[in-house]
Amino acid sequence: MKRLLSGVSAGVIALALGAGAAFAQDLPGKFEGVTIDAKLIGGQQYEALYARIADWEKATGAKVNVISKKNHFELDKEIKSDIATGSISWCVGSNHSSFAPQYPGIYTDLTALLPKAEVDAFVPANIAASTIDGKLVMLPRAQFDVSALYYQKSLYADEAKKAAYKAKTGEELTPPDTWEEVTKQAEFFASPPDFYGTQFAGKEEAINGRFYEMVIAEGGEYLDKDKKPVFNSEAGVRALDWFVNLYKAKAVPAGTTNYLWDDLGQGFASGTVALNLDWPGWAGFFNDPKASKVAGNVGVKVQPKGSSGKRTGWAGHHGFSVTESCASKEAAASLVWWLTNEDSQKLEAAAGPLPTRTAVWEWDIQQANGDPYKTEVLKAFQEAAANAFAVPQTPSWIEISNAVYPELQAAILGDKTSKQALDDAAAKATQILEDAGEL
């Protein structure tokens, strides 16, 4: 991660009047009389960041008019409606790496509006995932999601369990580093209906995303270089079989095919699940004695490896974008920078989200000194971030997910073989891409 976190730490910097420089003043700049219309992701967890907009207004003389504040799924529908009706009159929009490929033409290249030193101050992997067709379409905020493995520490300190596992497998009982070890341990720990070895979110993009990263870990591809679906391969079958076999062995809850993220979080916090691949935002909740029965008993480590030696690493991050149609791009870019600068990221990171700026990662680790759990969490997710990869950069990703996940469920529930399910899913995905003109 040290290599990934190489970059320039920068706050408010002076800009030279070089070729292509958009600003002739220090950030955030002066934009008296300008009003920036914005469409932002909504939710209580975002309000502390948005409170900083007033400071940007004081510093720049500009005003921000928030014309929409919704969750990303609802915001996505609204943006698509704006595209369809040709009514993109707003300037700044919340964005996400999983949604960004759907809007290839509406957002401008931020590298033309911000100094290189500021772009270089972000974790390179996040910048790469924010770049679509060579354009930096969003600036990453301090909300980077990649999954690491949470586990109940007491299970690995239990002498009786260690002896029983050694007798059964011939291996030492230690927190797993491969998905094969996860399978063995999940089946060993499981005692349904009271206790389960692991769990997974079993519907919508959640299961398709987990399947996608398992395909990568098994050495396969989801889409090939020509954007053709190729996940119905031997690697794909191995990946899907991981879910199928755990379900068949009753090592996961029976209702897991109906689970989404909140169900997983509540499940692990209930103390009835041994191993849980999950997002960083749950770390504080899991260790909160008021909310979690496993508080004080949570270990966290880097996500496991597949048979190829690659680790899973499906990742995404939030960000902010500037529209091509914006009449005040420089002011809009300044606002986007303000909402993702070091001060903003420190504010967000203090509440748990992972930062996307190099210097804030380092600051966050320093702040964790004296807190063994937070230190463990940050180190685990820092290592996990080194293995992160975004979803395939196709505008059809969400539509493909909606078509694929019922086929994955069919295999998990035993209605189809893994190969049959993946062949049918690949055919549906191919049709979607052909209809979209991508194949």
Side-chain angles (χ1 to χ4, degrees):
M1 194 61 184
K2 287 293 184 185
R3 175 176 57 81
L4 274 177
L5 291 180
S6 63
V8 179
S9 173
V12 176
I13 62 173
L15 304 179
L17 289 172
F23 296 104
Q25 64 281 313
D26 295 347
L27 283 167
K30 292 292 183 182
F31 306 101
E32 296 287 347
V34 171
T35 296
I36 297 297
D37 288 339
K39 294 196 172 189
L40 304 177
I41 185 171
Q44 186 58 41
Q45 65 267 44
Y46 307 113
E47 290 306 315
L49 175 64
Y50 297 157
R52 297 200 72 235
I53 291 175
D55 295 329
W56 180 82
E57 291 175 326
K58 291 177 184 177
T60 64
K63 296 293 181 183
V64 178
N65 178 32
V66 179
I67 58 177
S68 185
K69 196 182 284 186
K70 300 177 179 179
N71 70 52
H72 253 305
F73 293 102
E74 293 302 316
L75 203 61
D76 174 60
K77 294 175 184 176
E78 188 172 299
I79 291 170
K80 286 175 178 172
S81 176
D82 289 346
I83 293 171
T85 58
S87 56
I88 303 176
S89 57
W90 42 277
C91 280
V92 169
S94 289
N95 208 341
H96 190 280
S97 55
S98 290
F99 290 88
Q102 300 177 103
Y103 324 121
I106 71 169
Y107 291 129
T108 197
D109 187 355
L110 291 171
T111 59
L113 296 167
L114 294 168
K116 184 177 183 299
E118 278 300 304
V119 175
D120 288 347
F122 287 84
V123 176
N126 293 128
I127 291 297
S130 301
T131 303
I132 308 294
D133 295 331
K135 292 169 58 178
L136 180 61
V137 296
M138 66 175 170
L139 216 54
R141 62 179 288 184
Q143 191 115 13
F144 173 51
D145 284 329
V146 64
S147 293
L149 191 69
Y150 296 91
Y151 60 92
Q152 292 196 39
K153 292 190 293 185
S154 60
L155 296 173
Y156 296 89
D158 187 311
E159 294 300 329
K161 283 184 170 58
K162 289 197 286 185
Y165 188 76
K166 182 69 177 286
K168 181 177 181 179
T169 67
E171 300 171 2
E172 300 296 331
L173 182 59
T174 58
D177 195 52
T178 69
W179 285 109
E180 182 181 7
E181 291 170 353
V182 170
T183 301
K184 291 179 183 178
Q185 293 184 18
E187 292 177 353
F188 172 76
F189 288 133
S191 180
D194 302 315
F195 196 83
Y196 295 94
T198 189
Q199 58 184 349
F200 52 82
K203 65 179 183 179
E204 298 181 16
E205 190 208 14
I207 183 63
N208 188 46
R210 287 292 186 230
F211 167 69
Y212 159 61
E213 65 179 340
M214 289 293 284
V215 172
I216 301 301
E218 287 301 310
E221 294 180 292
Y222 194 95
L223 304 181
D224 66 14
K225 61 181 177 59
D226 299 317
K227 292 190 177 182
K228 179 182 177 181
V230 291
F231 52 75
N232 55 333
S233 60
E234 291 183 5
V237 170
R238 288 196 302 271
L240 182 51
D241 278 348
W242 182 83
F243 300 91
V244 171
N245 293 337
L246 283 172
Y247 188 85
K248 189 181 298 183
K250 298 183 179 179
V252 298
T256 198
T257 50
N258 290 314
Y259 284 8
L260 286 174
W261 306 124
D262 284 352
D263 302 295
L264 299 190
Q266 295 293 341
F268 186 70
S270 75
T272 61
V273 176
L275 298 155
N276 183 45
L277 184 74
D278 221 325
W279 310 104
W282 288 104
F285 181 82
F286 290 153
N287 209 42
D288 179 358
K290 295 179 181 178
S292 172
K293 292 183 179 179
V294 294
N297 186 34
V298 183
V300 194
K301 66 169 296 181
V302 68
Q303 69 271 49
K305 294 182 284 191
S307 64
S308 71
K310 296 178 183 177
R311 298 187 186 275
T312 50
W314 170 38
H317 62 270
H318 293 252
F320 296 101
S321 300
V322 175
T323 61
E324 288 280 15
S325 59
C326 179
S328 304
K329 289 188 178 67
E330 290 81 5
S334 171
L335 175 61
V336 166
W337 167 82
W338 183 268
L339 293 172
T340 60
N341 69 10
E342 285 193 24
D343 288 340
S344 289
Q345 295 221 353
K346 286 177 181 178
L347 175 71
E348 295 209 83
L354 299 181
T356 56
R357 279 179 174 261
T358 302
V360 183
W361 263 105
E362 296 163 353
W363 171 88
D364 209 9
I365 291 171
Q366 290 172 357
Q367 298 301 302
N369 284 341
D371 185 334
Y373 176 70
K374 187 171 183 180
T375 298
E376 181 180 356
V377 167
L378 285 172
K379 287 184 177 178
F381 279 102
Q382 188 178 33
E383 189 175 353
N387 304 292
F389 47 85
V391 301
Q393 288 192 346
T394 166
S396 303
W397 168 251
I398 298 298
E399 188 177 357
I400 288 172
S401 288
N402 291 338
V404 168
Y405 87 78
E407 299 296 337
L408 303 180
Q409 287 180 325
I412 293 167
L413 295 172
D415 297 331
K416 295 183 179 182
T417 68
S418 291
K419 180 59 174 169
Q420 287 171 336
L422 292 180
D423 283 344
D424 291 346
K428 290 180 179 180
T430 299
Q431 186 65 57
I432 288 169
L433 290 166
E434 287 177 347
D435 289 347
E438 295 188 66
L439 282 180

